[in-house]
Amino acid sequence: MKVRSPFFAACCIAATALSLSLGACTSREEAARQGYAEYQAAFAAGDLEAARKALLKVVQAKDDEATYWEALGKVQIQLGAFGEAYDAFTRAYELDRNNADTLANLTQISLLSGDIDKSEDFARQLEVVDPNQPVIKLAYGYAAIKRLDLDDAEKNVDALMEIMPYETGVKLLKARVLVGRGKSDEAEALLKEQIRMRPNDFAATKGLMALAERQEDWPDVAAAATKAANLKPEETAIRLKAIDAALRYKDYPQARRAAQPMLTPNAPGDQVGDVLSLWKDRWNSPEAVAAARELSKTAGPQQQLAYATYFNEVGKPEYAMELIGSQPILPITITNSGTNAIIAESLAQTGRAAEAKKLFDTILLKEPDHVYALRARINLEIRAGMAKAAINDAQRLVSVLPKSARDRLLLAKAYAAAGDDRQLDRTLWDAFHEIRGDRSIYEALRAHIARSEGPDAAQDVDEEYRHQLDAELIQEFF
């Protein structure tokens, strides 16, 4: 038997390891090439989802190639996945910091997300690599708007208007400059001309909606929001804006037409609930209740809960009981706690307060953060003169949903019931500053300040609210 030296054995081991390493490397490169070919075929066929899946396999196999990450970023943009696109372009940027296309895309995505500072930083880097990229001036223009430097913003946007007169981002920036100069009519005309030239321009239509809302021109808000919602049916928040605007100027038939796509028999229960919440706030009438009752006849199980909640909120618990019953579902579980909470609220409104309180307590013992049960128990406690308990529940509710204007106002209502004006004042001001631009909070705070401090102080609230809306308008104009 031939005996090999230790040196020879070590060399064999090293060679074997190198061979395995090279084999793995070759295998990864082959997987990347195959995945990239699949991406190209899917992209040529217009199947963006398949293209994305193929590229995800590519970057998993070989994550150190900037070209692959850039291609993935572009596909993610086309699919509207801007967060994922940003991540992909960021990895491409890490691998190649002098790629103008990557920097341009990072600049634009940062703008779209509202991160103006980051967009301006990428634009400065891009200016070194390719100073002729138009997005540089766009980023600098929005950064100037943020600094309230209208002259610099206008200088940048006017240069862009000469070469890109119908680019949406450019038109929105120009409109924002005009608003800043007090020329809202010219801004409105500019956006309407953009929509005339490009009828499917969602961003310009949304910008027109925001401008009309800033001026409290509710018919124009309703028209623009309805058009925007038709362009992007998945944008339910915009359709809700159309419904709200129509209700504000009391065009109830228009509000119902705008609501129809959100109240179909197969619509999600939460979506139906959002519409009915607007009806409760803006159209509290027998006609609205009758319309809801008719719609509830064809509602599915989740929709029935939304309608029953609405009937309770407008003081028609008997209609809620028709839909979901008048007796608790036992044993109480997390699965049926939502239905039981609505039943408890119906009981509370029909003279069975003690039974309702016991049911709420049982639900919240099992599920302490149950939003509907908390809200209903708070209202029950306020009606029963149990203000301290209502405050405790409302504080918990706000901790669960800190950005909910509705629940901040419920906490304020609990403090008002307790006669604690100092905490009432603090709660409304905190909500006003932390949930900026919310009209319901503004209206509640203004009414409170007008009562407690007089009309001059209320005008100060008006002025601060206008500043908040201006800040919101910047976001809407990306």
Side-chain angles (χ1 to χ4, degrees):
M1 178 176 175
K2 189 173 182 180
V3 180
R4 295 183 174 91
S5 69
F7 175 77
F8 182 82
C11 286
C12 286
I13 292 169
T16 301
L18 179 61
S19 175
L20 289 172
S21 175
L22 290 172
C25 181
T26 302
S27 176
R28 287 196 300 270
E29 289 180 349
E30 178 58 33
R33 282 195 295 270
Q34 181 179 343
Y36 197 75
E38 291 173 5
Y39 147 69
Q40 290 176 315
F43 192 82
D47 189 343
L48 292 177
E49 190 55 52
R52 171 164 59 182
K53 289 179 180 178
L55 282 170
L56 287 171
K57 288 195 296 185
V58 170
V59 296
Q60 186 177 14
K62 188 170 176 57
D63 76 341
D64 58 354
E65 179 59 57
T67 302
Y68 295 155
W69 286 104
E70 187 180 357
L72 177 60
K74 290 177 180 177
V75 170
Q76 299 282 29
I77 284 178
Q78 289 181 274
L79 288 168
F82 296 107
E84 291 85 347
Y86 183 84
D87 292 341
F89 283 121
T90 298
R91 179 59 179 150
Y93 171 68
E94 291 169 352
L95 295 166
D96 182 1
R97 292 182 177 268
N98 293 315
N99 186 301
D101 286 344
T102 298
L103 282 166
N105 278 302
L106 285 169
T107 304
Q108 292 181 77
I109 295 172
S110 298
L111 261 184
L112 190 66
S113 69
D115 194 337
I116 298 174
D117 293 338
K118 188 172 287 185
S119 177
E120 187 179 23
D121 182 53
F122 282 127
R124 287 199 184 99
Q125 297 177 59
L126 178 59
E127 193 171 23
V128 175
V129 178
D130 185 357
N132 296 318
Q133 287 269 2
V135 72
I136 296 170
K137 291 187 182 298
L138 193 65
Y140 287 170
Y142 275 109
I145 285 287
K146 184 180 178 182
R147 296 190 301 269
L148 302 179
D149 186 347
L150 295 177
D151 291 338
D152 190 33
E154 192 160 42
K155 178 188 73 176
N156 281 288
V157 75
D158 285 349
L160 288 171
M161 289 282 286
E162 292 181 6
I163 59 173
M164 308 169 74
Y166 291 106
E167 177 62 32
T168 303
V170 175
K171 280 291 180 69
L172 288 172
L173 178 56
K174 180 64 176 180
R176 184 63 188 87
V177 171
L178 290 170
V179 171
R181 296 200 184 283
K183 300 178 180 179
S184 295
D185 290 345
E186 291 184 34
E188 181 181 348
L190 186 78
L191 292 178
K192 285 183 174 178
E193 172 63 12
Q194 174 73 2
I195 295 166
R196 188 183 70 80
M197 296 298 296
R198 294 186 176 178
N200 294 330
D201 192 327
F202 172 78
T205 305
K206 190 165 173 270
L208 189 64
M209 176 194 77
L211 184 59
E213 185 175 13
R214 175 68 177 80
Q215 299 169 324
E216 298 190 2
D217 185 341
W218 301 117
D220 278 4
V221 172
T226 300
K227 179 177 172 61
N230 289 337
L231 290 173
K232 286 194 175 183
E234 71 276 12
E235 295 279 353
T236 56
I238 292 179
R239 188 165 293 280
L240 287 169
K241 186 83 73 175
I243 299 166
D244 179 63
L247 292 174
R248 282 180 180 275
Y249 72 93
K250 296 181 170 42
D251 189 342
Y252 301 121
Q254 171 58 26
R256 287 200 64 180
R257 286 192 295 272
Q260 279 177 353
M262 299 186 73
L263 297 176
T264 56
N266 60 347
D270 288 347
Q271 181 175 292
V272 173
D274 288 339
V275 174
L276 295 173
S277 181
L278 288 176
W279 284 17
K280 173 182 69 72
D281 293 339
R282 308 273 179 224
W283 187 26
N284 199 348
S285 70
E287 291 77 14
V289 174
R293 196 177 184 197
E294 187 63 29
L295 287 165
S296 72
K297 293 177 181 178
T298 57
Q302 290 303 310
Q303 289 189 345
Q304 286 182 345
L305 296 182
Y307 283 107
T309 299
Y310 166 77
F311 291 136
N312 278 338
E313 289 179 338
V314 296
K316 293 292 182 181
E318 63 274 21
Y319 296 163
M321 289 176 171
E322 286 178 3
L323 279 176
I324 62 172
S326 59
Q327 297 300 321
I329 302 170
L330 300 175
I332 296 171
T333 65
I334 290 178
T335 303
N336 64 31
S337 60
T339 305
N340 273 315
I342 298 169
I343 291 170
E345 174 64 5
S346 298
L347 295 176
Q349 292 191 38
T350 52
R352 298 161 69 181
E355 190 177 347
K357 177 70 164 54
K358 183 179 179 181
L359 187 52
F360 283 135
D361 292 347
T362 305
I363 293 167
L364 289 167
L365 188 63
K366 289 182 175 292
E367 197 173 352
D369 294 337
H370 193 291
V371 170
Y372 185 86
L374 279 171
R375 286 173 180 160
R377 189 166 75 173
I378 291 163
N379 283 315
L380 175 60
E381 288 162 342
I382 290 173
R383 290 195 298 268
M386 302 164 63
K388 186 175 180 179
I391 290 168
N392 289 336
D393 277 348
Q395 287 173 335
R396 183 177 189 92
L397 183 58
V398 168
S399 72
V400 174
L401 295 173
K403 292 298 183 181
S404 168
R406 172 183 182 176
D407 297 316
R408 294 293 186 103
L409 294 176
L410 189 54
L411 176 58
K413 181 180 176 182
Y415 279 124
D420 192 336
D421 291 337
R422 186 175 69 85
Q423 287 297 335
L424 168 61
D425 188 83
R426 178 181 176 182
T427 298
L428 289 173
W429 276 112
D430 284 350
F432 185 60
H433 289 139
E434 293 170 16
I435 310 176
R436 301 175 68 81
D438 185 277
R439 185 171 294 275
S440 62
I441 292 174
Y442 155 69
E443 290 172 347
L445 175 63
R446 191 190 191 286
H448 166 69
I449 293 298
R451 286 192 303 269
S452 60
E453 300 180 33
D456 291 342
Q459 287 181 3
D460 291 339
V461 176
D462 294 338
E463 183 64 23
E464 186 171 349
Y465 181 62
R466 282 193 288 270
H467 287 309
Q468 289 184 1
L469 290 182
D470 284 342
E472 292 293 316
L473 199 60
I474 291 176
Q475 298 298 324
E476 296 288 356
F477 273 38
F478 287 124

